[in-house]
């Protein structure tokens, strides 16, 4: 079969998925359908905004579907009528079995971790938060339990000691697109193989649950490395946060986007607090102080710690 004859349905929503979709389109693959999320209200005016994948599909004249319910009979019928050979899922929601079992060549997913590590909604964040030295991307065939299917291909990258999740995300987005293309070519050539995840000896499955506001709270009872990793694992989005006590005793909720480890022990009086030391804004962790480099007080723009201290009394 030629690649122009291989009929593909692509399912995805954010920019991370667009990179792979674009690489498939520019390499001449036949995308017969694109499934993405419904438009969502955003901003103060609650204007309805399309997903990044929808914008791409519209710009390139691809057949678009935006079902509210993935088990909707009309949507299922529309999918069947496309008679696709292969489904590709990237950064989309969980599919019902009736969908992922439909194509004759199966459905595969691109996941932003080295499975079976970091199964779940936020694998890139948790890899950085947990201080991992490497992560990667995996393609695997879908099955019932989320992120547990047989692995097709993987590729790893190193995580820099001070690299934040935004940087890791962007590198994995490009790497994942290349891996998606390689996987499709292997399926097309009939050379694809897959390995059950329970055959990855010495690697225990780890969770990567959705990030909530409480997840983002900076716990200053933790050590410096854990606090630093939390900040970079949530930067630039959604952002780690803490409350800073001002001179009048009020609390100012502040997002922290960049920190620097120091070798200076936290003074006993400042453990668990945000304080100023020699003109530097510091987080008083359980062991060493962590310097705040960039932050954003509630209701204000992002700024450096120097800018913050010039206009704020702690």
């Amino acid at each position: 079969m030629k690649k122009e004859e291989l009929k593909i349905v692509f399912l995805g929503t954010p920019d991370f998925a667009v990179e792979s979709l674009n690489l498939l389109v520019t390499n001449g693959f036949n995308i017969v359908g694109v499934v993405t999320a419904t438009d969502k209200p955003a901003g103060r005016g609650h204007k309805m905004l399309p997903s990044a994948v929808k914008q791409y599909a519209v710009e390139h004249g691809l057949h678009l579907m935006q079902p509210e319910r993935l088990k909707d009979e009309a949507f299922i019928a529309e999918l069947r009528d496309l008679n696709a050979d292969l489904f590709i899922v990237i950064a989309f929601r969980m599919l019902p079995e009736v969908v992922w079992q439909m194509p004759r060549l199966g459905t595969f997913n691109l996941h932003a971790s080295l499975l079976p590590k970091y199964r779940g909604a936020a694998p890139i964040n948790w890899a950085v938060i947990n201080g991992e030295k490497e992560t990667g991307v995996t393609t695997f065939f879908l099955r019932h339990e989320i992120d547990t299917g047989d692995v097709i291909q993987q590729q790893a990258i190193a995580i820099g000691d001070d690299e934040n999740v935004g940087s890791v995300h962007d590198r994995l987005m490009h790497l994942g697109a290349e891996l998606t293309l390689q996987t499709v070519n292997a399926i097309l050539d009939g050379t694809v193989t897959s390995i059950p995840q329970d055959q990855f000896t010495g690697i225990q499955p780890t969770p990567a649950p959705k990030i909530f506001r409480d997840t983002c709270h900076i716990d200053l009872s933790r050590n410096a490395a854990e606090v630093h990793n939390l900040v970079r694992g949530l930067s630039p989005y959604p952002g780690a946060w803490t409350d800073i006590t001002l001179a009048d005793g009020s609390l100012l909720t502040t997002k922290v986007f960049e920190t620097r480890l120091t070798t200076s022990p936290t003074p006993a009086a400042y453990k668990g607090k945000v304080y100023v030391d020699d003109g530097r804004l510091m987080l008083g962790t359980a062991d060493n102080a962590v310097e705040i480099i960039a932050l954003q007080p509630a209701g204000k723009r992002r700024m450096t710690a120097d800018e913050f201290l010039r206009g704020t009394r702690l």
Side-chain angles (χ1 to χ4, degrees), residues 131-146:
E132 298 284 359
K133 298 300 182 183
E134 75 167 11
T135 188
V137 284
T138 301
T139 52
F140 68 96
F141 286 114
L142 257 62
R143 58 183 291 179
H144 259 303
E145 298 79 9
I146 190 166

Side-chain angles (χ1 to χ4, degrees), residues 223-240:
N223 65 42
E226 291 172 318
V227 168
H228 178 62
N229 290 341
L230 179 72
V231 170
R232 64 193 187 94
L234 298 170
S235 178
Y237 182 82

Side-chain angles (χ1 to χ4, degrees), residues 160-215:
D161 290 342
D162 293 310
E163 190 174 11
N164 69 22
V165 74
S167 171
V168 178
H169 169 280
D170 291 350
R171 292 199 290 134
L172 290 180
M173 180 173 66
H174 297 298
L175 186 67
E178 294 289 345
L179 194 67
T180 297
L181 184 62
Q182 291 174 26
T183 299
V184 175
N185 280 322
I187 292 172
L188 182 63
D189 296 340
T191 59
V192 68
T193 58
S194 58
I195 305 170
Q197 291 188 33
D198 59 12
Q199 291 186 16
F200 285 73
T201 56
I203 302 177
Q204 292 298 316
T206 49
K210 187 176 180 179
I211 302 291
F212 294 99
R213 188 174 188 275
D214 286 349
T215 315

Side-chain angles (χ1 to χ4, degrees), residues 10 21 56 60 64 68-69 71-72 94 98 110 118 166 180 196 211 225 232 243 261 271 273 275 289-290:
F10 186 93
L21 177 57
Y56 182 92
H60 291 79
L64 181 69
E68 291 188 4
R69 293 176 55 252
K71 292 184 179 180
D72 181 79
M94 190 172 178
V98 66
L110 172 72
Y118 297 106
T180 297
I211 302 291
R232 64 193 187 94
D243 287 326
L261 293 172
K271 285 186 182 290
K273 299 179 181 179
Y275 66 100
V290 174

Side-chain angles (χ1 to χ4, degrees), residues 212-284:
F212 294 99
R213 188 174 188 275
D214 286 349
T215 315
C216 303
H217 179 242
I218 300 172
D219 181 359
L220 292 177
S221 69
R222 312 295 294 230
N223 65 42
E226 291 172 318
V227 168
H228 178 62
N229 290 341
L230 179 72
V231 170
R232 64 193 187 94
L234 298 170
S235 178
Y237 182 82
W241 64 273
T242 189
D243 287 326
I244 297 177
T245 304
L246 303 181
D248 62 2
S250 63
L251 296 178
L252 178 63
T253 299
T254 303
K255 288 188 175 182
V256 180
F257 293 106
E258 185 180 353
T259 54
R260 180 186 296 133
L261 293 172
T262 76
T263 57
S264 304
T266 302
Y270 294 122
K271 285 186 182 290
K273 299 179 181 179
V274 181
Y275 66 100
V276 179
D277 179 34
D278 194 24
R280 298 183 300 166
L281 189 61
M282 313 296 281
L283 294 167

Side-chain angles (χ1 to χ4, degrees), residues 13 58 69 73 95 106 109 156 176 200:
T13 298
V58 171
R69 293 176 55 252
E73 291 183 5
L95 297 180
N109 177 247
F200 285 73

